[in-house]
Amino acid sequence: VSADGDLVVSAQEGDVAMIRVWDYSTGRCLFLLKEHSHGITSMDLSADGKALAVVGLDSYGKQVIAIWDVSQVRTTEQASLILKQRTEYDINCLKFSAFEEDHLMTCGVDSIRMYRLRNGKLHGLSVQLGAEIQGSRIPTGLPKGDMTRNIFTDIAFESAYGFSDAETKNVYVSSTSGAVFQINYGKRVLECIYKLHSECVNCVVLSEGYCITASDDKFVRVWPTDFSDFYLEVEHDSPVTNMSLSQDGLQIAVGTANGTIGYLDIPSHE
């Protein structure tokens, strides 16, 4: 969903990878995108709603990043392809940077990367993970689990905008190990690992002053940004697979593996 709520983008699973751009108010499909053959894994709209990035597979089974200009789709019902570029990295999640225009961030199997769009191409750098296990922090009572399996699942930018003081800004990347990796955005380095769940963390969301995680262990947890201990926890009846935060940061909508949709009001804990 675009930031202004006017556009909705949907992707079809399976062998026919169709992506549709919708007018939210009328429910009308404005444009159909068909650059990928199958295997759509992630997509994101830029903050200004002018660009759409999608990761999927081409007809040869190679993973491809495609970016469209959708700035005129409301008025002309047309979108133009900006680039289509193969990647050797197994990407699970792609997001536009919250701090810089024309920058993206991806995560996947043993990979966290930052990209800059310039002259019609993506130029990328990998975040150096190094001996990451030595810097991990585990709240009391949580098992360590397998923290060597760096399969990353989601990306969340802290609530700050503009590239000034970039070295003070963090990005949080969740993993199948149940940990969240804290990345210094400006330095492109791993700063800390927080073991927050006993199973895969599928979603991580940042708001002013706190972080929310959702996991296969069926829990949604709300944490302070130092991750000292969660101050709110809700257990669901199946793994929590998706999560979204309201614009005011006070309500959470969650989806679970068995098709249940839940709603949590953070101030009232209900």
Side-chain angles (χ1 to χ4, degrees):
V1 181
S2 61
D4 59 12
D6 287 345
L7 292 180
V8 175
V9 182
S10 64
Q12 180 173 307
E13 288 186 343
D15 293 336
V16 181
M18 289 190 292
I19 300 167
R20 290 181 170 90
V21 182
W22 305 82
D23 183 309
Y24 178 78
S25 60
T26 65
R28 185 164 55 93
C29 180
L30 300 175
F31 198 71
L32 182 64
L33 309 173
K34 298 181 179 179
E35 288 301 322
H36 295 91
S37 174
H38 59 288
I40 299 294
T41 58
S42 183
M43 59 184 182
D44 191 37
L45 276 167
S46 60
D48 59 10
K50 294 181 179 180
L52 171 67
V54 182
V55 178
L57 301 179
D58 63 16
S59 58
Y60 298 97
K62 301 293 186 180
Q63 197 166 53
V64 171
I65 300 173
I67 301 178
W68 284 271
D69 178 352
V70 293
S71 59
Q72 303 301 314
V73 73
R74 296 179 181 89
T75 55
T76 66
E77 298 190 11
Q78 295 294 318
S80 58
L81 184 67
I82 298 172
L83 71 83
K84 184 177 179 181
Q85 184 169 316
R86 282 185 178 178
T87 174
E88 299 300 320
Y89 298 88
D90 193 348
I91 297 173
N92 289 326
C93 180
L94 172 151
K95 290 191 178 179
F96 283 99
S97 171
F99 307 135
E100 299 177 280
E101 291 185 358
D102 298 326
H103 284 69
L104 301 98
M105 192 166 179
T106 65
C107 68
V109 179
D110 283 321
S111 172
I112 301 173
R113 287 179 60 80
M114 298 180 179
Y115 292 90
R116 180 183 179 185
L117 174 60
R118 183 174 58 186
N119 299 325
K121 293 184 178 181
L122 286 174
H123 304 268
L125 292 172
S126 293
V127 173
Q128 298 302 311
L129 299 177
E132 68 276 357
I133 300 175
Q134 296 177 6
S136 61
R137 292 175 54 185
I138 306 173
T140 303
L142 285 177
K144 184 163 185 175
D146 182 4
M147 295 187 66
T148 63
R149 297 180 61 213
N150 293 327
I151 303 175
F152 300 105
T153 57
D154 197 15
I155 300 168
F157 298 87
E158 70 176 354
S159 301
Y161 295 90
F163 199 62
S164 60
D165 300 324
E167 293 184 0
T168 68
K169 296 177 181 177
N170 294 320
V171 184
Y172 297 86
V173 183
S174 57
S175 74
T176 57
S177 68
V180 169
F181 288 54
Q182 179 179 308
I183 308 298
N184 182 295
Y185 183 86
K187 295 180 179 178
R188 271 70 166 168
V189 296
L190 174 66
E191 290 191 333
C192 198
I193 302 173
Y194 302 97
K195 176 67 176 179
L196 306 180
H197 290 265
S198 60
E199 298 183 38
C200 172
V201 179
N202 293 309
C203 302
V204 57
V205 175
L206 266 292
S207 187
E208 197 69 42
Y210 58 86
C211 176
I212 309 165
T213 54
S215 172
D216 277 352
D217 63 12
K218 305 179 185 179
F219 286 102
V220 172
R221 291 178 174 141
V222 181
W223 307 82
T225 51
D226 64 359
F227 297 98
S228 53
D229 197 4
F230 58 84
Y231 56 78
L232 176 59
E233 176 185 73
V234 178
E235 185 176 10
H236 294 265
D237 56 2
S238 66
V240 183
T241 57
N242 212 337
M243 176 174 60
S244 181
L245 188 66
S246 62
Q247 288 190 344
D248 61 10
L250 299 179
Q251 289 83 36
I252 311 168
V254 301
T256 66
N258 68 359
T260 301
I261 296 176
Y263 170 87
L264 174 65
D265 183 77
I266 295 175
S268 67
H269 294 195
E270 296 180 352

